Amino acid sequence: MAGAYRFIKENNIGVGKRVAVLFADSSRNYMSKFMDDDWMKSNGFDEEHFVQTTKEQGLYEKIFMK
């Protein structure tokens, strides 16, 4: 939070602007699911689609915003 505050001050981010701050937790509770490639695939998460969306403009919307 202190880093976000410093960023806001140093970059003169004022009224009407927003800054998102993400606080990550450990992955301990998710290891049996989100860190298991087989679980991800069996639950509809195709890694190739995610990689492809970083390379092809508009593909994310086509695949995931149906």
Side-chain angles (χ1 to χ4, degrees):
M1 195 64 169
Y5 180 77
R6 181 177 174 186
F7 176 84
I8 291 166
K9 289 294 186 185
E10 288 177 357
N11 291 281
N12 298 317
I13 298 174
V15 178
K17 305 289 182 176
R18 295 181 183 188
V19 173
V21 180
L22 304 177
F23 294 101
D25 62 355
S26 73
S27 59
R28 179 181 51 86
N29 295 331
Y30 317 107
M31 291 177 83
S32 66
K33 293 182 174 79
F34 300 120
M35 293 185 168
D36 180 345
D37 291 340
D38 293 330
W39 185 92
M40 295 293 286
K41 287 177 186 174
S42 68
N43 284 277
F45 295 94
D46 182 4
E47 180 183 357
E48 184 55 38
H49 278 145
F50 290 103
V51 172
Q52 194 176 0
T53 61
T54 65
K55 299 176 182 176
E56 189 176 325
Q57 186 173 3
L59 186 60
Y60 180 87
E61 288 81 10
K62 181 179 174 184
I63 294 173
F64 300 106
M65 306 302 280
K66 295 177 185 178

